[in-house]
Amino acid sequence: MIDYKTISALNQSTLKQILISPKAYVEAKERQEARVESSEQHFVFGSLVDMMLTESKEAFDKKYAVIPDDTGVSETIAKIVKGVYDEMYEKTPTALEDYPEEILNHCNYELYQSRWKDETRFKKIVEQGSKYFDILKKCGTKTIITESEYAKAVNCVMALRSDKHTSKYCQKKSNDPKIEIIDKHVVVFEHEGLEFKGEIDRIIIDHIKKTITPIDFKTTSKSVLNFENSFWHFRYDFQAAVYTLGLTKDKSYDDRLKSYYHEGYSFKPMLYIVVETFLKNPPMVFEISKEAINIGLYGNVNKSSRIKENLEGFYQAIKRFKYATEYDAWDY
């Protein structure tokens, strides 16, 4: 299997940032090159559910470490200890008490008990944070999740696999030999003189109907009934448009898909399978319309659309990227 991260090409999530500003694009690219994954809880949780749906238990154990909900530290002390650990990781951390300077630096950054003496702050962090520091050492580079987050993710996966509308898209394997599932399909394609890449959560191939259906799994902390607003807010139209275009131009690394293209298989509209974090409503399937794809590609600036705000699309992002690259103009 090809490693998506090793492919040198533009991806939609990074390129999309240039519609905010060139600086936003540069920062996103730097995070990508440093392979720094977002630590924001909703991104971590979404990736967690996604992996449970599409990858093996071995892959899960390699990436995630599950720790108790109660680590005996406050949120602020946990941030300080985690900051010290991240800073010292490459030097092979020993004990928390061995890093007084780093502890105080992170105390200052978090504005922790600024009226206390340094000695008092240091002792408090060591006293309350050493156990948590040892947990981090055992976890290594794995992404840390709590037991309750893990349980919540398991419940989301169970809901997706049991719901009458989503279950057929979310099983680990197909029981029907005429239905084929390809997970984490890497798309690589050239467009407007630039090389792009993408990773589609799942592709379902119906060998009777000769159809190919791309699928992306989403989690939301809001009501699934309000997903349309999230769709435009997070510019999932941009993602869906790039993946849809990419599949038609794919220099596929998967020989199976190449053969299906040549045999006349057709693409069905991309589906977003959405589940709520707290499961107040059942999960839902959203079929991405041609209008949404067109807005993702071309934007809706000065065009009639039920989307009130003016949005730029993939082609405008390419234009901005080429301009910034040609003139080295990354400030404005």
Side-chain angles (χ1 to χ4, degrees):
M1 177 183 286
I2 191 72
D3 185 354
Y4 169 80
K5 293 180 180 178
T6 64
I7 300 172
S8 179
L10 290 164
N11 67 74
Q12 62 83 25
S13 61
T14 302
L15 179 65
K16 184 165 59 180
Q17 299 304 309
I18 207 165
L19 297 179
I20 299 173
S21 73
K23 184 179 179 181
Y25 167 81
V26 170
E27 291 174 348
K29 187 171 184 294
E30 288 173 348
R31 288 194 300 272
Q32 176 193 337
E33 291 175 344
R35 297 193 179 188
V36 176
E37 297 187 15
S38 175
S39 59
E40 292 185 43
Q41 194 275 336
H42 58 284
F43 284 117
V44 172
F45 187 79
S47 298
L48 178 61
V49 172
D50 182 271
M51 176 166 270
M52 287 181 172
L53 286 167
T54 62
E55 299 192 49
S56 67
K57 180 69 165 58
E58 291 74 21
F60 175 89
D61 291 337
K62 187 176 180 180
K63 182 173 181 178
Y64 293 102
V66 181
I67 67 172
D69 290 324
D70 185 6
T71 56
V73 295
S74 66
E75 183 178 348
T76 302
I77 291 179
K79 286 181 179 179
I80 293 168
V81 174
K82 181 70 163 61
V84 174
Y85 174 79
D86 290 344
E87 191 175 339
M88 305 311 298
Y89 173 75
E90 292 185 357
K91 299 178 182 179
T92 310
T94 51
L96 182 59
E97 62 193 40
D98 295 334
Y99 308 108
E101 182 179 346
E102 289 77 12
I103 288 174
L104 292 175
N105 286 340
H106 284 279
C107 283
N108 292 335
Y109 181 79
E110 297 294 340
L111 303 178
Y112 175 72
Q113 302 295 0
S114 55
R115 294 183 179 180
W116 289 5
K117 293 180 179 180
D118 286 349
E119 182 182 358
T120 305
R121 291 197 292 171
F122 170 73
K123 286 183 178 179
K124 193 71 172 179
I125 296 300
V126 170
E127 177 187 328
Q128 295 193 359
S130 290
K131 181 181 176 182
Y132 183 56
F133 190 79
D134 291 338
I135 291 174
L136 295 178
K137 284 168 59 179
K138 290 180 181 179
C139 294
T141 58
K142 294 180 181 181
T143 300
I144 294 172
I145 56 172
T146 63
E147 290 174 342
S148 60
E149 287 173 328
Y150 175 76
K152 197 160 53 176
V154 169
N155 289 337
C156 284
V157 171
M158 290 175 63
L160 286 164
R161 288 183 173 157
S162 60
D163 181 81
K164 63 181 179 179
H165 299 295
T166 61
S167 61
K168 65 179 180 179
Y169 302 112
C170 301
Q171 300 305 322
K172 201 74 172 178
K173 295 180 181 179
S174 173
N175 295 321
D176 186 343
K178 300 178 182 65
I179 300 296
E180 184 177 358
I181 295 174
I182 299 176
D183 286 328
K184 297 299 180 183
H185 175 66
V186 175
V187 177
V188 178
F189 67 101
E190 187 177 320
H191 194 69
E192 297 278 311
L194 298 171
E195 193 88 355
F196 295 92
K197 67 176 181 177
E199 188 174 54
I200 301 174
D201 286 343
R202 171 164 287 185
I203 291 178
I204 295 182
I205 301 159
D206 188 322
H207 292 293
I208 297 298
K209 298 178 181 178
K210 288 194 170 184
T211 57
I212 301 172
T213 305
I215 291 172
D216 195 85
F217 298 111
K218 300 291 186 191
T219 60
T220 178
S221 59
K222 300 178 181 178
S223 169
V224 72
L225 304 174
N226 197 41
F227 179 69
E228 187 172 0
N229 290 335
S230 298
F231 179 86
W232 296 109
H233 175 75
F234 293 111
R235 294 305 309 272
Y236 292 149
D237 61 301
F238 192 100
Q239 178 192 40
V242 173
Y243 286 176
T244 299
L245 175 66
L247 279 171
T248 65
K249 309 183 73 173
D250 190 11
K251 303 175 182 178
S252 178
Y253 285 96
D254 193 311
D255 291 334
R256 291 172 295 175
L257 276 186
K258 281 183 180 178
S259 65
Y260 302 150
Y261 298 155
H262 296 310
E263 292 173 21
Y265 282 58
S266 61
F267 293 106
K268 294 191 72 176
M270 188 166 186
L271 303 180
Y272 278 23
I273 314 295
V274 186
V275 62
E276 291 179 2
T277 305
F278 298 101
L279 297 175
K280 291 183 179 178
N281 294 294
M284 293 181 69
V285 181
F286 291 85
E287 182 178 293
I288 311 307
S289 68
K290 289 184 179 179
E291 180 193 16
I293 295 296
N294 285 335
I295 292 174
L297 287 175
Y298 308 108
N300 69 334
V301 180
N302 300 324
K303 294 180 181 179
S304 60
S305 171
R306 60 193 178 89
I307 308 304
K308 294 181 180 179
E309 60 181 316
N310 285 338
L311 302 175
E312 292 183 295
F314 183 52
Y315 281 91
Q316 288 95 338
I318 289 175
K319 186 176 180 180
R320 288 177 178 270
F321 175 79
K322 286 184 173 180
Y323 180 90
T325 302
E326 181 178 354
Y327 294 101
D328 195 26
W330 298 100
D331 294 329
Y332 301 97

